[in-house]
Amino acid sequence: MAVSEIHAARITVNRMIAYIMKDKDETVQSEREINQQYHHEILDRGKNGICVRYFTQSSFHRCVRTNPYRTFKEFQQKFQKKISRAKTQSKNGEEPLAYHARISFAGHECSQEVAMEIGDRVAESLFKGFPTVVSVHTNTDNIHIHFAVCAWNTDGRKWRNCHATTQMLRDVTDQLCEEYGLSVLEKTRKMHLVRTETGSYENTDHRYEHGTSAYVNTKKYEELKKKRMTQSDIVKQDIDMLLPRASSYENLLDLLRMLGYQIRAKKQDGDWMKHVSFLAPAFSKAVREDKIGDGSYYCRKNLEAVIAERIKKHPELAEQDLDGTDDIPIYDDYRYTKIPVQPMREDYYKKRRKDGSVVQRRRTEWQNKAIRSLKKDDLHVRTLLDTTEIWKLAEEQEKLSARKMKQREDSEAARYVAQIENTFRALHYTEQNEFESYGQMLNVIKAIHRDYAEILSKKEEAEKLVSDRERNLRVPEQVAELKERIKNRDLSYMVEHYQDDVSKLDKLLARCKALGFQDPEKFRQFKEKTEEYRAQLSQLTKMLQAAEERLDEADNCIRTYARIDAEYGIDVSAPMQRYEQILRGEYELPDSSRDRSRSDADRDER
């Protein structure tokens, strides 16, 4: 089902624009009721339920991004008096100053990004020339688009709201829904409104609850709704379709996710849940595996056995790439200006090994959270700046040190751009190390701190050794200088400094003898050895700098994921407390954890 409607603004224009642009807060009783596929954050968990904020994505056409109402007001002041009509189109007798249009889709059949693209295309085709604000809302059972349209266009012509323009909105909506693969029923594509005493509605024997100006692209919606397949039937049908292509049960879940499914399969510790649940597109509540079919065939353990038996008969299926992952890009530069955020995949990724070969990995839940955070922040930044301004700001921040960058984060856009860059760094770090939990990350961080302490200790020892040897190398030169001074027979020198210099010379000659510097060959060997120690000190300095960079990356990673988890309402106080203990040198990991952390450095090569 797709519904579209347009009417004159029923509230003041500034309130209408503020309403459609505002993030929406909803209260639910459990996390299962949250639309996980859309950008959101959990604000509070209380006795009355979970307070969730769904982020509204907005775009602006021919109006000021930071204050679109100002553009609407300017057009009103400029063009309102040019045309005077005896009859107005507003029910209250006042001339309409703006119009409010809406397109509502069937359930959650499309993503927020696709809805935004459709809204932008409607604004550029149907409302061409009219200042328009487009906003996508995801807080209800149906994802929908709001349009705030100024009553006058750039030429001063006024929007004429009538059956013809309402039909045009429906025609454009149907065309775009068909293009994007969304639901369009052909039976009513050619139907038009008919006039009755009580209003105008579609030429069917069912008057829709959406109002006389609403268009529902179905013949008898209530009848078709009764005949619609249940979610269990749809999940059963999709599993039957994908099962012959799946190389494992997890691969089957990935294929379902590519169809738009939301699946709850594993706990945070990685163990399987007692029952896997499936949320198909356009549905609001998930269905458990034991509620599908006969209640047993579509359960995880049975499907694993079915797939294993098929793979046993046809081993070649295990090697096929059946999940459409050949087109996954390889990102070598993890910067905001180098990677398009919204198309990033949440199922698989590819990374380049040190030997240049490429390996494909399935994303962890952590990485999925990072990508969702990137997409949410990217959408927010794009409501504040256009693409050119974003790239300019990101490039400026890349040139600044961390301290100076914090000083420059004086605007909301700058803060979000910096946050996006930090999330990219954290995502890259987890991809390279394949982290899945705070425990794994803390193991590696502890190992890095231990390596850093060892390198620092060796560097301090090397600095002392090189300093002592350099001081010894200067002894022959000091001996020559003292001998030259002692030759001076000036009376004042003989009285004040002669005895001190003779004593110093004796000590230096004794040191030369102890070091064997009388032999030129031994002096040369001592000098060469000192150069070797200098090279070792230089190498240790580079190793210490590399360890500091690893500590900085690890610090950014754990703090970024702690921020993201906190946005999801997850308590991260325990792992962050252990992290602070590591920084103070108070937290010791078990020996088994240390052994595992030593092997993490070789993970990439494997």
Side-chain angles (χ1 to χ4, degrees), residues 62-76:
R62 295 165 292 279
C63 56
V64 179
R65 180 183 300 270
T66 55
N67 188 2
Y69 173 65
R70 187 174 69 187
T71 303
F72 282 53
K73 190 67 175 177
E74 289 174 354
F75 274 54
Q76 176 190 348

Side-chain angles (χ1 to χ4, degrees), residues 304-317:
E304 286 178 339
V306 171
I307 296 172
E309 183 65 24
R310 183 169 54 81
I311 296 296
K312 185 177 180 180
K313 294 180 180 179
H314 305 281
E316 68 277 5
L317 295 178

Side-chain angles (χ1 to χ4, degrees), residues 309-373:
E309 183 65 24
R310 183 169 54 81
I311 296 296
K312 185 177 180 180
K313 294 180 180 179
H314 305 281
E316 68 277 5
L317 295 178
E319 304 298 327
Q320 294 182 8
D321 180 22
L322 300 173
D323 52 12
T325 58
D326 291 332
D327 59 344
I328 297 177
I330 304 173
Y331 301 125
D332 292 320
D333 192 348
Y334 279 68
R335 286 183 293 170
Y336 191 19
T337 57
K338 302 299 182 181
I339 298 179
V341 176
Q342 299 304 327
M344 292 183 71
R345 294 183 59 157
E346 299 181 24
D347 50 359
Y348 288 94
Y349 69 99
K350 291 181 179 178
K351 70 175 184 177
R352 201 180 305 278
R353 290 173 170 169
K354 293 181 180 178
D355 60 2
S357 62
V358 176
V359 61
Q360 180 175 297
R361 293 281 186 266
R362 186 171 55 214
R363 290 204 180 277
T364 64
E365 180 59 28
W366 262 22
Q367 294 170 9
N368 288 336
K369 290 179 182 178
I371 292 177
R372 289 194 288 268
S373 176

Side-chain angles (χ1 to χ4, degrees), residues 95 116 120 230-231 326 376 432 488 500 531:
E95 184 178 14
M116 194 73 246
D120 289 338
T230 65
Q231 182 173 205
D326 291 332
K376 179 194 71 174
Q432 295 302 313
N488 186 0
D500 292 338
E531 290 299 325

Side-chain angles (χ1 to χ4, degrees), residues 40-207:
H40 67 278
E41 67 174 343
I42 296 177
L43 300 179
D44 183 42
R45 296 174 184 267
K47 295 180 180 180
N48 296 327
I50 304 173
C51 184
V52 184
R53 172 166 294 172
Y54 292 96
F55 294 103
T56 297
Q57 182 181 358
S58 301
S59 63
F60 306 87
H61 302 260
R62 295 165 292 279
C63 56
V64 179
R65 180 183 300 270
T66 55
N67 188 2
Y69 173 65
R70 187 174 69 187
T71 303
F72 282 53
K73 190 67 175 177
E74 289 174 354
F75 274 54
Q76 176 190 348
Q77 294 172 348
K78 184 177 181 181
F79 299 119
Q80 187 175 17
K81 295 181 180 180
K82 285 189 175 183
I83 301 177
S84 177
R85 296 181 180 179
K87 296 182 179 180
T88 65
Q89 294 177 304
S90 176
K91 291 183 178 180
N92 60 9
E94 296 180 359
E95 184 178 14
L97 305 179
Y99 289 87
H100 184 182
R102 183 173 67 92
I103 299 175
S104 181
F105 301 96
H108 304 141
E109 64 175 343
C110 68
S111 66
Q112 197 168 5
E113 291 74 26
V114 170
M116 194 73 246
E117 288 184 21
I118 292 175
D120 289 338
R121 293 181 64 177
V122 170
E124 290 302 322
S125 58
L126 186 62
F127 304 126
K128 186 176 181 179
F130 290 85
T132 306
V133 179
V134 183
S135 296
V136 177
H137 293 182
T138 59
N139 61 307
T140 63
D141 292 337
N142 302 80
I143 181 172
H144 55 280
I145 313 171
H146 287 277
F147 302 84
V149 185
C150 182
W152 293 271
N153 67 6
T154 52
D155 297 327
R157 298 183 61 183
K158 193 169 185 182
W159 175 265
R160 186 169 183 269
N161 199 40
C162 60
H163 298 327
T165 52
T166 306
Q167 183 66 39
M168 288 170 57
L169 175 60
R170 180 190 175 176
D171 292 341
V172 172
T173 302
D174 286 349
Q175 179 182 352
L176 291 175
C177 285
E178 186 177 46
E179 181 179 335
Y180 282 87
L182 305 179
S183 60
V184 176
L185 296 183
E186 298 293 337
K187 293 182 179 180
T188 59
R189 181 185 291 274
K190 300 301 182 181
M191 289 186 178
H192 296 278
L193 290 177
V194 295
R195 189 74 179 178
T196 69
E197 295 179 357
T198 57
S200 302
Y201 53 91
E202 293 229 1
N203 187 18
T204 69
D205 58 358
H206 176 76
R207 184 174 180 180

Side-chain angles (χ1 to χ4, degrees), residues 187-300:
K187 293 182 179 180
T188 59
R189 181 185 291 274
K190 300 301 182 181
M191 289 186 178
H192 296 278
L193 290 177
V194 295
R195 189 74 179 178
T196 69
E197 295 179 357
T198 57
S200 302
Y201 53 91
E202 293 229 1
N203 187 18
T204 69
D205 58 358
H206 176 76
R207 184 174 180 180
Y208 303 106
E209 61 184 357
H210 301 282
T212 59
S213 63
Y215 285 81
V216 185
N217 61 348
T218 177
K219 184 179 181 181
K220 294 182 179 181
Y221 175 67
E222 292 299 334
E223 294 180 5
L224 292 177
K225 184 177 180 182
K226 293 177 183 178
K227 300 178 183 178
R228 184 165 26 174
M229 296 174 65
T230 65
Q231 182 173 205
S232 298
D233 296 331
I234 293 174
V235 176
K236 177 179 177 295
Q237 178 178 287
D238 288 341
I239 291 179
D240 290 341
M241 176 186 67
L242 297 173
L243 193 58
R245 302 173 53 198
S247 58
S248 66
Y249 183 73
E250 291 193 356
N251 178 234
L252 173 64
L253 299 185
D254 291 334
L255 294 175
L256 287 169
R257 289 188 179 99
M258 293 178 67
L259 293 180
Y261 276 76
Q262 296 181 46
I263 301 174
R264 289 172 56 86
K266 290 186 177 182
K267 304 175 184 177
Q268 290 186 0
D269 59 5
D271 294 337
W272 288 100
M273 302 181 74
K274 184 177 181 180
H275 292 290
V276 179
S277 61
F278 303 87
L279 179 62
F283 286 87
S284 58
K285 293 185 178 180
V287 59
R288 285 189 349 187
E289 58 184 1
D290 59 339
K291 304 297 182 183
I292 303 171
D294 61 2
S296 60
Y297 180 83
Y298 294 92
C299 290
R300 174 178 61 85

